[in-house]
Amino acid sequence: MKDDNSKQPKVDIPKVWSCNEWDPLEEVIVGSTEGAIVPMWDDVSVQATTPAHARWFFEKYGGQPFPAEMIEKANQELDGLCKVLTDLGVIVRRPDAMDFSNEYKTPWWSSRGLYSAMPRDIFLVVADTIIEAPMAWRNRYFESFAFRNLIQEYFKAGAKWLTAPKSSMAGDFYRNDYSPEVPYINGEKQFVISENQIAFDAADFVRFGKDILVQKSNVTNAMGIEWVRRHLGPEFNIHEVEFGDEHPMHIDTTIVPLCPGKLLINPSWVKKKDLPDLFKDWEIIEAPEPVMPYDSALYFSSDWLTMNFLSVDDKHIIVEENEKPLIELLEKHGFKTIPIPFRNFYPFGGSMHCATTDIRRRGKLEKYF
Ligand code: ABU
């Protein structure tokens, strides 16, 4: 995969440095749908967060490549995102090509891979540290290797690199008694993964400088959160939050910080009164209903990908061009939007936030609460 490494970073901050979602973006990894493989429907971890309306897609294509036309259209949109970022002066890096159709075996199970489309799920950059998540889907066990050359390059340039212990993902890691139809038992949210081994995806964390919010989900458990907390140490406060998403997997369609003091919330899952006290002095902005109908090609996600945009800095936000109500709302609140087509990427399970991971944002590690 070609990337643009021709521009050299300004050197007065580390090569890898990102503390929040809104500081000026200087370098970013953008994923790829090249070689993407459709998961099997009978995979319980996939079923737990997959909309029932998408079952036909997994039954038809499970274990096979995504249809070529879907891959091509999504990759065109990714290339468009890369061009917009490059034109804004952001250095864009891309993963290596990897054959996700190869079946691999561990002592407990076998699987094919998924894709390298969503680096946000794998890598959490906290200041100068890249945290590589252990993941919780078998088809994502080796996904980080598509990014390995990049991460090694960043390591050689001085970044810290923590890789969390991977779960065996053996049968007892998943809960046989879990049913997506029963999201709560006695008021307690249920998840398909157990607590018997460490698990988290990076996209269940959202960074506000020295405070980081995280949710338990169908890919992130309490042990995983504790692992991150201990490794980041006392300089950081890791706040566990829970909202109304019945099948949570990744927090970046639930709450999205826009800049210090402004938080966008998904009103169908987050009630203002349920936000942690941390936000008592923040302006809370409710996102408008998504434009894309939920019965369409959203195979892997909720319809709230509308909120899964990418901030270039605290005033400029790259958004999906069809999300007119969101664009209007953001502009009303003083942000400049940069609309681009990204609808064809949605069926892979995310939008621009998922499709990227920050490598460098120019700013300081601060407290915002
Ligand atoms: N990977 C982000 C998807 C979150 C959601 O389904 O809303």
Side-chain angles (χ1 to χ4, degrees), residues 121 249-250 252-253 269 300-302 304-305 308 349-350 354:
D121 299 355
M249 175 176 173
H250 306 158
D252 51 358
T253 53
W269 297 338
F300 271 115
S301 69
S302 74
W304 285 94
L305 296 184
N308 196 251
C354 293

Side-chain angles (χ1 to χ4, degrees), residues 55-75:
R55 179 175 179 156
W56 72 271
F57 181 78
F58 294 90
E59 286 182 338
K60 181 167 179 189
Y61 294 110
Q64 300 170 51
F66 275 74
E69 196 193 0
M70 281 179 70
I71 290 186
E72 195 185 319
K73 285 183 173 167
N75 267 340

